[in-house]
Amino acid sequence: MIEDKNQQRTGLAALGEFGLIEHLTQNIEIKQPSTLTGIGDDAAILDFKDKKVVISTDLLIEGVHFDLGYMPLKHLGYKAVVVNLSDIAAMNATPTQITVSIAVSNRFPVEALDELYDGIKLAAKGYNVDIVGGDTTSSQKGMILSITAIGEADAEDLAYRNGAGDGDLLVVTGDVGAAYMGLQVLEREKQVFQVNPNNQPDLDGYSYLIERQLKPEARTDVKAILKGLEIAPTSMIDVSDGLSSEIMHLCRLSGVGCNLYEEKIPVDPQLINTCEEFNIDITTVAINGGEDYELLFTIKQDDYDKIKGNPNFTIIGHLTQQSEGTHLITRANTKIPLKSRGWNALSNDEA
Ligand code: ADP
Ligand code: MG
């Protein structure tokens, strides 16, 4: 994972800026009906007819948001796209296009950017979004990557952070905490490798956690599932900073309180095993570890029967009046105020 498999190194100067853009953007196909013109002119042209248009952007800086020491470039490209698509999904909208802007120092050969673009193109293809533009420039040090995602939705389908009401049920997709523990495993292996480069990383038993960290997926499937169940979420947000922090955002913006039940929080068995090995509290990781990119949303109590038992969703709590505050109800049935960042030594600076 750490070594550079690509032996060939073509300097960026060999292609020049326009040659590089052409090289990186070749074979990019347009599939979305809303894309009238993609790459090649001064600007892309999109036509969304009577749909609402949703836009979200992210800026990623090497050494701040990612570390190429354990993040292969292909994974970086994939993840950078996914985190933006997750923001579109969190509006209960459908992503349709992305733009990709990169700044790189001459430390990176063309082959490295090819790997980055392999990841970007793989994600674009998998999520059926068109790459319709971007910008390419140089940086004095390191890599800077910015992706903008565009999506569409009918006005009545859009879900906002401020729509939750007293009594609504709090629901999360998938499971949480795994991406954070994946990062802990990778950081440990990196240290072992630095001490002795002959040590092969031992990543057996952590595959799900590492996959969640290096190759997260956006829940762009949830919109159709909810539609099929005839459920309109009253509010929605994606879990990028950690469950606790996102719940507090929803509650603050919606003017409600909440009870989150520790015993309900969905976690993967691999997370449980690894937390025991690292001697870290599972619930602390599950509610404070970030970068899961699952969706957190609220529904009306009347919709309970439509969602109960559905394997995509877990009901983890309910909303209360704002004056009751935001609490975690532990297994021992004690009430602890939620905090937006770890009650233990969890600190994790992400996008
Ligand atoms: P301008 O000088 O108007 O910024 P560029 O020469 O930078 O134009 O870009 C030419 C075309 O290539 C535009 O359509 C632009 O959106 C696209 N483009 C430039 N860089 C990238 C990139 N890294 N990824 C995808 N498209 C790009
Ligand atoms: Mg440009």
Side-chain angles (χ1 to χ4, degrees), residues 144-196:
I144 299 167
L145 176 62
S146 178
I147 298 203
T148 297
I150 299 160
E152 62 180 31
D154 291 328
E156 65 269 24
D157 286 338
L158 286 169
Y160 302 83
R161 291 180 176 188
N162 67 3
D166 180 12
D168 285 0
L169 303 174
L170 188 63
V171 184
V172 71
T173 62
D175 59 75
V176 291
Y180 175 84
M181 274 320 281
L183 185 63
Q184 302 314 303
V185 170
L186 288 169
E187 276 178 349
R188 182 178 72 180
E189 294 312 318
K190 189 183 165 192
Q191 276 163 16
V192 170
F193 181 81
Q194 278 167 348
V195 172
N196 180 0

Side-chain angles (χ1 to χ4, degrees), residues 227-241:
K227 195 132 237 184
L229 295 170
E230 294 181 9
I231 293 172
T234 53
S235 71
M236 193 179 264
I237 191 169
D238 70 330
V239 184
S240 53
D241 287 344

